[in-house]
Amino acid sequence: MDVISPEGLRQDGRTPTCLRDISCRLGLYDRPNGSAYIEIGNTKVLAAVYGPREVRSLSKQNLDECVIQCEMSRIAACQGERVRRPRDQRTRALSLQIAGVFHAAIRKTKYPGSQIDIYVQVLQADGGVTSACINASALALIHAGVELMDYVVSCTASINKTTPILDVTQQESVTGCEVTVSMLPNKGSVVSLDCAHTLHLDQLDEVVDLAMEGCQQIYKVMSQEVETYLQDKNAVMSHQ
Amino acid sequence: MADITLSESEKRYIVDGVKLGLRVDGRERLDYQHMEIETGLVSTANGSARLRHGCTDVLVTVKMEMEPPPTHQPKDGLINFFVNCSANAAPEFEGRGGEDLATSLSAMLDGLYASPMSLDRSRLCVVPGKYVKVLYVDVEILECGGSLFDTVSLGVKAALYATRMPKIYITGEDGGEMEFMVSENPQEVDRVDVSNAPILITHLRITENLTIVDPSPEEECCGPVQVVVGVNPKGLITATQQFGAGTFAPQTLADSFKSASALGVKIHQQLMQRLQQEENVPNRKIRGFW
């Protein structure tokens, strides 16, 4: 089956440059310092942040800046086939990638000698899992009140023959590449660019541009949610 | 389980309160907290349920697979329990940190459903000796705030109730190999009979002859020992286990069993009522994590 129909629509009825429905929520749980939930189409992710707090293994302690750790796990029924282990090599690699993104975004020198833990739980996976994890973690960090340079927003894009497509589902990523771009939306700088499968160099620009455009759209949804949350809590916002 | 430290006087306050029949949150000794339940929220599973109970949050998913049966029970399907304590619930669960708790929970569930009285496994058989249905019940602990055993067992029962497995037809045999047809009609489904599925009721010992149910994390700090009792909908006890370092007086233990049996019947009724009510809502919208 074609990724894009002759009418120019995708399997789920979207146009090539359309995002899936996004909704997010802050502050689900009391115990972690920050928690958030995000749903991008059928991809659903929960994130919890503990910290800044005392480092647990002193050998890792850095007296100049904070230690950032991330652990990602999946529930057994998160995709078609049952996942036998909640954590495996793949999730560990993704955890490192997520932690890497936040190394660039958190003002680490503000928390010398302490540790920030980010735990991500994938409830349902349908393409763009890394993106969803990064977005959820960013919201959880904001909820925890950790100082960030900027929001961190992530989005995926791909290319079908010559048409770039935004926010790919699992099914769409099987047939083509999946480029995950994470960026600081206000600065406009990219913190991570990750490409699975092959992509022609001439097409890279187009795909990355589209993903960055998607990031800006997701940023609007996320910042809207944060503002709504703060308004509910009667916070005074300086920029208004 | 939780990283709570109480001073001696705080503990005293809780214990003395229980002696007077009043708990910190205003409940009586044998009162349960409010629960929220929703089924069918994970579309990639055959059945799923999320149960929020006080500060405890569990997500249970059921996935069905077809596998050859064990040789000693060729006509019985299987039900396997796996518990995972998510690091989201507590940072101590990171890596393999939650494994001890997860193992005791899954062992308890295994024991609870081991009896053919709890779940009729012969109904999970497809071709005797060749293929049976295996139910993988995965429990994810998302927040951990007291009476985990009770919450998990209720979640498992709800998820099994909500499980829908496509009907399987045997269409023929080709050289000893069975041929199947899996129904694609979403209305044509098999369900799991949970009419006898048991639940767990935990009694926490506060003093020599006083126990409470559904303890909060603070109350769990005041009593080192608890007894978990499996109760089926008729009030029969199906499994028991004592956890923690401490002792029970035989009379207290007997009283706990009696009260668990009476409470269990009520909770079973309420759970089933709630599940049936939810099922009958036309075009129900999934609330999920909202």
Side-chain angles (χ1 to χ4, degrees):
Chain A
M1 223 183 289
D2 286 342
V3 173
I4 299 176
S5 70
E7 293 81 31
L9 294 176
R10 297 200 250 167
Q11 293 282 313
D12 49 10
R14 285 184 289 157
T15 59
T17 55
C18 184
L19 285 170
R20 290 178 282 178
D21 277 346
I22 302 177
S23 37
C24 44
R25 195 189 142 187
L26 263 76
L28 287 90
Y29 297 114
D30 292 335
R31 185 122 190 266
N33 296 82
S35 56
Y37 171 72
I38 194 162
E39 234 180 70
I40 304 179
N42 280 325
T43 301
K44 298 170 186 179
V45 174
L46 263 176
V49 167
Y50 286 85
R53 54 188 193 141
E54 214 176 323
V55 264
R56 272 175 304 144
S57 90
L58 280 175
S59 61
K60 285 188 187 149
Q61 192 177 40
N62 182 343
L63 292 174
D64 295 326
E65 52 184 37
C66 66
V67 177
I68 298 163
Q69 271 202 51
C70 176
E71 187 181 273
M72 171 188 174
S73 65
R74 299 177 288 180
I75 67 160
C78 72
Q79 55 195 45
E81 191 99 330
R82 181 172 173 271
V83 177
R84 285 183 190 276
R85 282 186 186 176
R87 287 170 293 275
D88 54 18
Q89 224 171 351
R90 196 177 137 67
T91 62
R92 270 197 288 276
L94 288 177
S95 305
L96 287 174
Q97 197 187 335
I98 296 167
V101 167
F102 288 102
H103 271 290
I106 294 174
R107 288 192 196 277
K108 295 196 287 179
T109 46
K110 288 271 178 182
Y111 310 104
S114 26
Q115 172 171 354
I116 296 172
D117 287 308
I118 305 168
Y119 298 116
V120 197
Q121 182 79 49
V122 179
L123 302 175
Q124 232 171 297
D126 183 25
V129 175
T130 323
S131 297
C133 288
I134 291 172
N135 294 338
S137 309
L139 287 173
L141 282 164
I142 291 168
H143 182 236
V146 173
E147 237 183 274
L148 299 166
M149 314 254 189
D150 191 356
Y151 276 68
V152 184
V153 190
S154 177
C155 186
T156 62
S158 175
I159 197 148
N160 180 248
K161 291 177 192 121
T162 54
T163 326
I165 52 176
L166 185 65
D167 190 14
V168 285
T169 60
Q170 178 76 45
Q171 202 189 3
E172 288 166 340
S173 68
V174 171
T175 49
C177 64
E178 186 178 340
V179 178
T180 307
V181 178
S182 312
M183 63 184 291
L184 308 177
N186 290 310
K187 279 191 169 181
S189 51
V190 174
V191 274
S192 112
L193 195 155
D194 165 59
C195 176
H197 298 283
T198 48
L199 174 68
H200 197 276
L201 195 57
D202 294 348
Q203 296 176 320
L204 182 70
D205 268 355
E206 267 187 289
V207 175
V208 173
D209 282 349
L210 184 64
M212 284 169 71
E213 179 55 41
C215 284
Q216 294 295 349
Q217 289 179 38
I218 296 175
Y219 167 59
K220 276 189 197 132
V221 179
M222 280 167 56
S223 61
Q224 184 60 50
E225 180 56 36
V226 172
E227 265 176 45
T228 318
Y229 176 81
L230 290 174
Q231 264 156 14
D232 286 349
K233 298 276 174 211
N234 292 320
V236 181
M237 279 173 280
S238 55
H239 66 276
Q240 281 185 345
Chain B
M1 282 162 216
D3 53 350
I4 294 172
T5 29
L6 292 186
S7 67
E8 279 310 311
S9 42
E10 281 172 307
K11 284 185 188 171
R12 187 65 175 274
Y13 182 74
I14 293 175
V15 173
D16 285 352
V18 171
K19 282 183 189 159
L20 295 170
L22 192 67
R23 289 161 69 175
V24 177
D25 49 9
R27 284 183 288 158
E28 285 187 25
R29 270 199 321 117
L30 301 177
D31 280 351
Y32 262 82
Q33 267 167 290
H34 174 78
M35 285 181 211
E36 272 172 53
I37 190 159
E38 187 180 24
T39 58
L41 64 171
V42 179
S43 55
T44 40
N46 292 88
S48 58
R50 179 191 181 214
L51 200 77
R52 267 209 79 117
H53 172 207
C55 278
T56 303
D57 194 349
V58 299
L59 178 67
V60 185
T61 55
V62 181
K63 245 175 162 4
M64 188 269 287
E65 278 174 24
M66 293 255 283
E67 281 172 25
T71 42
H72 61 283
Q73 277 170 326
K75 286 181 188 165
D76 285 352
L78 293 169
I79 182 162
N80 291 327
F81 294 95
F82 293 93
V83 180
N84 182 44
C85 297
S86 166
N88 284 37
E92 303 89 72
F93 293 159
E94 189 183 331
R96 313 186 71 159
E99 230 160 63
D100 287 348
L101 179 63
T103 313
S104 50
L105 274 164
S106 56
M108 194 71 211
L109 287 171
D110 274 331
L112 199 60
Y113 280 86
S115 152
M117 293 256 289
S118 304
L119 188 84
D120 185 5
R121 283 156 205 250
S122 61
R123 289 184 57 177
L124 296 172
C125 182
V126 182
V127 185
K130 291 230 163 113
Y131 288 105
V132 293
K133 289 176 188 170
V134 181
L135 297 177
Y136 285 96
V137 182
D138 289 283
V139 181
E140 195 72 40
I141 315 282
L142 296 174
E143 198 180 22
C144 172
S147 54
L148 212 47
F149 284 89
D150 309 24
T151 315
V152 165
S153 70
L154 285 166
V156 167
K157 182 162 176 169
L160 285 172
Y161 179 86
T163 299
R164 304 282 188 278
M165 302 171 284
K167 271 204 190 318
I168 296 165
Y169 299 104
I170 301 162
T171 49
E173 205 179 327
D174 183 18
E177 282 290 304
M178 290 290 188
E179 283 175 7
F180 299 107
M181 197 188 75
V182 178
S183 170
E184 282 173 12
N185 180 355
Q187 306 298 328
E188 261 190 324
V189 286
D190 282 327
R191 300 184 56 170
V192 183
D193 178 20
V194 290
S195 56
N196 284 319
I199 57 165
L200 296 169
I201 310 271
T202 309
H203 279 260
L204 178 78
R205 196 199 90 149
I206 292 287
T207 63
E208 191 56 44
N209 47 16
L210 280 181
T211 55
I212 56 170
V213 294
D214 188 15
S216 66
E218 288 81 13
E219 287 167 334
E220 277 180 353
C221 293
C222 302
V225 59
Q226 46 191 18
V227 62
V228 184
V229 183
V231 182
N232 81 359
K234 296 187 188 80
L236 297 175
I237 289 173
T238 57
T240 67
Q241 200 167 342
Q242 206 170 311
F243 286 96
T247 55
F248 267 102
Q251 189 54 45
T252 316
L253 215 48
D255 289 346
S256 305
F257 289 173
K258 245 181 241 151
S259 94
S261 159
L263 259 173
V265 175
K266 269 191 218 157
I267 294 174
H268 269 296
Q269 271 171 2
Q270 285 185 13
L271 176 71
M272 289 314 281
Q273 208 181 349
R274 177 72 191 83
L275 290 171
Q276 276 154 9
Q277 203 184 349
E278 189 185 46
E279 197 182 357
N280 292 331
V281 176
N283 303 322
R284 180 167 65 92
K285 209 175 165 287
I286 303 283
R287 226 175 120 248
F289 283 79
W290 255 258

